[in-house]
Amino acid sequence: MDKLAISGFLLAVIAVAGGFVIEGGSLATLLHFPAFLIVFGGTVGAVMLQTPLSQFKLGLKILPWVIRPAQMPLEHTAQRIVQWGSAARGSGFLALEQDALAEHDAFLHRGLNLLVDGVEPKALQDTLDAELTLERERLLRGARIFDAMGGYSPTIGIVGAVLGLIQAMSNISEPQLLGQGIATAFVATIYGVGFANLVFIPVGNKLKSLVQQRTLYHELIIEGLVSIAHGENPRNIERKLAAYHPG
C-alpha cells in the first residue's frame, strides 16, 4: 500500500475543501451530480473515442499500481544474480536450470532460460532489450490515457458550465433562482479542473514513474544475465549491479 499516494490525495482534497469552507462556502454547493456526470462521463467518453480498446483496458489494469505498486526487489535480485554467476562459473549454465524452472518473474524466467539454452551474450542482450523496450512502450501507452483525461477534463468542465448557464438564464426573471443557477453552473468548471489536477494528471505521472522503476529493474536483470553469459567474475557483476539500487 502506497501511503504517500493516499496521504497526498487526501491532503489535496482536504486543503481545497477546507479553504473553501474557511472562506464561508458550504460543501453542499460542490455536490452536484449532473455536473459530475457531464465532466466525468464526457472526459472518459472522449478518451474512449481516441484510444484503442487494448490500450484503454491496459490503463485500467495498471491503475491499481498507484495505490499498490508492484514490488521491484532490486537489491535482492542483484544478490540472486551474483549467486547464479558463481554457480554458472563453477558448474556451467546448466546449473541454473532448476532456478529457471522455479522462477515466477516472467522476465527473469525468460532470461534465465535463454542463458541455460546457451544463447550467445549478444543475442541474449538483443532479445531481452527488445522485449524490455516493447513492454515499456506498451505500459506507457496505458499510462497516457490518464494524461489524455487530464487534458480533456477542464474543457469538458467549461462545456458543463456553459450548459448550466444556459439553464440558469431560463430563470432570468427570478433573480434568486438565477443566482443559484449560476453558482451551480460553475461547479462543473471546478470538477473539470479539480479532476485534471488532483486525479488524472497525478495518476498518469505516477504510473509513468512506476513504469520507469520497472524498466530499471529489468535493466538490472539484463545487465546481470549478460555478465553471467560473458563469464565475468561474480565480484565484478556485484559491482556493476550495485549502481542500480540505492545505498
Side-chain angles (χ1 to χ4, degrees), residues 123-144:
L124 173 64
Q125 180 158 12
D126 289 346
T127 300
L128 294 180
D129 279 343
E131 183 174 333
L132 172 58
T133 299
L134 291 172
E135 181 192 32
R136 177 177 178 273
E137 289 305 312
R138 184 178 67 89
L139 292 174
L140 285 177
R141 285 196 297 271
R144 289 188 190 111

Side-chain angles (χ1 to χ4, degrees), residues 106-116 124 128 131 221 225:
F107 190 81
L108 194 51
H109 173 76
R110 285 189 288 273
L112 278 172
N113 276 303
L114 289 171
L115 193 60
V116 170
L124 173 64
L128 294 180
E131 183 174 333
I221 292 173
L225 295 182

Side-chain angles (χ1 to χ4, degrees), residues 136-169:
R136 177 177 178 273
E137 289 305 312
R138 184 178 67 89
L139 292 174
L140 285 177
R141 285 196 297 271
R144 289 188 190 111
I145 72 168
F146 298 99
D147 289 339
M149 288 181 183
Y152 287 124
S153 182
T155 305
I156 302 298
I158 293 173
V159 172
V162 172
L163 292 175
L165 288 174
I166 292 173
Q167 179 64 27
M169 294 303 291

